[in-house]
Amino acid sequence: MIPSLDSTLAEAVAANCDCVQIKYDGMHATLATVKGQGTITTRWNNTDATVKVNSNVNCTLIGSFRLSHLFFYVTDCWCVEEPEGNIVDLRREPYRARYVAAKIQMKLLNPTGPISFSLVPSLPITRAEELWRSLSSLPNVKGLIFRRSMDPA
């Protein structure tokens, strides 16, 4: 499959996008973890998959789920539990802060079982052309996602 862009780099820059990520093939999905149990739910057909995770982590991660490969590509974090037990909704926070939260949660999750997880790197938009050129050699890639790091969810 040849990757395609929904917008050009010039359009992304004009829209004040300042970071770029690889868009992996898969269904848009949510991973909600509670007390050692994670549930992946897709938007399109309500496919659910269950995965065991570190019991100390309660969070909601967003990404692409590739059911045929049992792989979840994490791009965002919408909710975390603080050490005191308070649930914090991050959706109004800038993407930059949510991405840092996703990075932390991924280190804490330590998922086990048949589903693999990967945090999709968020790079400066100045690396978009280099990233685009390298896409043809990467499996399961659909294109690029341009983002504004200060936007809420």
Side-chain angles (χ1 to χ4, degrees):
M1 174 191 338
I2 298 173
S4 62
L5 289 170
D6 290 333
S7 63
T8 65
L9 177 57
E11 290 168 335
V13 170
N16 297 317
C17 293
D18 58 352
C19 54
V20 62
Q21 290 179 302
I22 296 171
K23 167 65 175 118
Y24 287 94
D25 194 15
M27 297 176 279
H28 186 275
T30 301
L31 167 64
T33 65
V34 178
K35 297 181 181 172
Q37 189 80 4
T39 303
I40 296 172
T41 304
T42 65
R43 283 185 179 177
W44 308 114
N45 60 5
N46 291 329
T47 301
D48 284 340
T50 303
V51 61
K52 287 200 177 288
V53 295
N54 182 324
S55 61
N56 298 324
V57 178
N58 294 330
C59 66
T60 302
L61 298 173
I62 307 301
S64 292
F65 181 52
R66 184 137 170 118
L67 184 59
S68 61
H69 291 79
L70 294 176
F71 212 97
F72 192 89
Y73 300 98
V74 176
T75 58
D76 204 342
C77 181
W78 283 2
C79 177
V80 295
E81 182 179 17
E82 294 179 319
E84 304 81 31
N86 302 323
I87 301 296
V88 180
D89 185 345
L90 301 174
R91 290 176 289 183
R92 294 179 192 253
E93 297 299 320
Y95 179 70
R96 181 177 293 157
R98 297 191 322 270
Y99 187 79
V100 169
K103 214 183 254 193
I104 292 167
Q105 297 307 306
M106 287 292 293
K107 288 180 182 175
L108 296 173
L109 272 178
N110 192 24
T112 58
I115 299 175
S116 299
F117 292 81
S118 179
L119 181 66
V120 178
S122 183
L123 304 171
I125 199 164
T126 55
R127 306 255 326 259
E129 288 181 0
E130 166 195 344
L131 195 56
W132 185 249
R133 284 191 300 272
S134 69
L135 287 178
S136 61
S137 63
L138 298 175
N140 306 317
V141 170
K142 214 171 178 183
L144 297 179
I145 300 171
F146 298 107
R147 294 185 183 270
R148 290 184 291 255
S149 62
M150 296 308 291
D151 279 359

